[in-house]
Amino acid sequence: MGTIKDFFDKYLIRLSLPQVTLIDILEVLIIAFAIYHIVMWVKNTRAWMLVKGVVFLLVFFVVAMFLRMDVILWIFRNAISVGIIAVIIVFQPELRSALEQLGRRNVFVSIFSSESEDDRISERVMGEIVNACAKMSREKTGALIVIENEIQLKEHEKNGIYLNADISMQLITNIFEHNTPLHDGATIIRDNKILAATCYLPLSDNMELSKELGTRHRAAVGISEISDSLTIVVSEESGIISVARFGELKRNVSPDELKKLLISFAGTDNAKSKKNIWRRKGGKTENDEANTK
């Protein structure tokens, strides 16, 4: 018995939990708060794609270590410093934007805010968008409408004119009316609001796109390649409605098909199933049209 008592006396001291103070709890809360906002920032920017790539490289690095691939491990070790500098350069706009938001943010409002991000586009807004696109298609009014999803387009909204206006068919058609101050560039929609107009988007470098497509269509594909948004294009020359998502362009989309695409876009399916729905339904893609010629 004496031996067992000595054993417990000896090792219970080592296994005893440290004393937790109020400062320790406060420190844990601050770290959790910081990690939460970093994760949310990464999720709402292009950095989310970077994180996926980094995770893949880490898995590949672990496999290389397990299999003792010395050359690959040497390349990894020497590329880390260069890679960190490259990430800072490539994501400089996002990093600057994050610091600006940190300076403007009301911390307590962001903690206790109950605003939901699930209802990004309501049924009423879908109807207004479809009716506006149908009207502009009949009148051959060029339009470029970007509906934001999880990845926010803050760096693109900054080069436009801030509106934050309620969506209606009349407002959309008036924005894209020829020779009006707001008709040039794209309109960005977020949380059932027209956030900004006259926004300029990156053009796609996809060489498979038809040479007949103009700047609007290439901009629509370009923004869909770097975000999970859905972009609607109305051709000024032909009045054809096109929709871009996941780097693909569907042309000759009817108003009914556009409504179906908007419903699947606003649904609660996961990203993979949404992508499958997108590829199965709606009008033909640019590649489909090329194969049928």
Side-chain angles (χ1 to χ4, degrees):
M1 292 296 294
T3 306
I4 296 175
K5 183 177 183 300
D6 293 340
F7 174 82
F8 278 101
D9 289 341
K10 180 179 180 181
Y11 288 99
L12 279 179
I13 296 175
R14 295 182 181 180
L15 297 176
S16 61
L17 295 176
Q19 184 178 0
V20 179
T21 65
L22 182 62
I23 299 298
D24 296 327
I25 296 175
L26 181 61
E27 188 176 16
V28 170
L29 291 175
I30 291 174
I31 294 174
F33 178 80
I35 292 175
Y36 169 77
H37 280 278
I38 290 173
V39 171
M40 292 304 297
W41 171 77
V42 168
K43 185 179 179 182
N44 291 330
T45 63
R46 291 184 298 165
W48 181 242
M49 304 300 176
L50 173 68
V51 170
K52 293 180 180 179
V54 170
V55 170
F56 173 79
L57 290 177
L58 287 176
V59 172
F60 188 70
F61 179 73
V62 171
V63 172
M65 288 184 62
F66 181 76
L67 299 178
R68 296 183 180 180
M69 299 177 177
D70 296 332
V71 176
I72 293 178
L73 293 176
W74 180 86
I75 294 174
F76 266 103
R77 294 190 187 100
N78 288 273
I80 288 177
S81 58
V82 178
I84 293 174
I85 297 173
V87 166
I88 295 174
I89 294 174
V90 171
F91 289 92
Q92 183 268 339
E94 284 85 357
L95 293 172
R96 184 178 63 184
S97 175
L99 292 175
E100 290 175 353
Q101 292 177 37
L102 183 62
R104 294 194 303 263
R105 174 166 294 178
N106 187 327
V107 176
F108 295 101
V109 171
S110 63
I111 293 175
F112 298 106
S113 174
S114 59
E115 182 180 355
S116 174
E117 296 183 356
D118 294 334
D119 190 19
R120 294 188 180 275
I121 176 171
S122 66
E123 186 175 353
R124 183 196 70 81
V125 169
M126 290 183 202
E128 298 291 339
I129 293 174
V130 171
N131 292 335
C133 290
K135 185 175 187 297
M136 291 186 291
S137 176
R138 291 192 301 268
E139 299 174 354
K140 294 186 178 180
T141 301
L144 183 58
I145 303 171
V146 183
I147 305 174
E148 190 180 83
N149 196 13
E150 293 183 2
I151 298 177
Q152 296 186 359
L153 307 174
K154 292 184 177 180
E155 61 181 288
H156 302 291
E157 75 186 52
K158 287 181 179 179
N159 58 41
I161 298 176
Y162 182 75
L163 296 179
N164 195 30
D166 292 332
I167 296 176
S168 67
M169 181 193 73
Q170 293 79 4
L171 178 57
I172 295 175
T173 54
N174 188 67
I175 287 175
F176 291 106
E177 185 66 32
H178 192 59
N179 292 328
T180 57
L182 301 179
H183 87 282
D184 196 19
T187 291
I188 296 179
I189 293 177
R190 177 192 300 159
D191 297 332
N192 296 309
K193 295 274 191 179
I194 295 180
L195 186 68
T198 70
C199 300
Y200 292 95
L201 308 178
L203 301 182
S204 173
D205 295 327
N206 187 355
M207 301 302 294
E208 295 183 1
L209 293 176
S210 172
K211 302 299 182 183
E212 299 176 357
L213 298 178
T215 304
R216 282 194 182 94
H217 293 81
R218 291 191 173 274
V221 176
I223 196 65
S224 72
E225 291 173 342
I226 63 173
S227 72
D228 55 355
S229 60
L230 181 144
T231 305
I232 305 170
V233 187
V234 180
S235 173
E236 189 173 350
E237 289 75 19
S238 62
I240 290 176
I241 300 174
S242 304
V243 183
R245 198 179 183 204
F246 300 121
E248 298 181 1
L249 182 70
K250 291 182 178 295
R251 303 189 66 190
N252 295 314
V253 176
S254 68
D256 290 337
E257 291 170 336
L258 177 59
K259 183 67 177 291
K260 292 178 181 179
L261 290 174
L262 289 174
I263 291 174
S264 67
F265 173 76
T268 57
D269 298 332
N270 58 46
K272 184 176 180 179
S273 62
K274 281 184 179 180
K275 195 166 184 177
N276 293 333
I277 290 173
W278 163 257
R279 287 176 171 172
R280 290 197 306 266
K281 295 182 179 180
K284 294 182 178 180
T285 64
E286 178 66 23
N287 295 336
D288 292 338
E289 289 191 348
N291 294 332
T292 57
K293 288 183 180 180

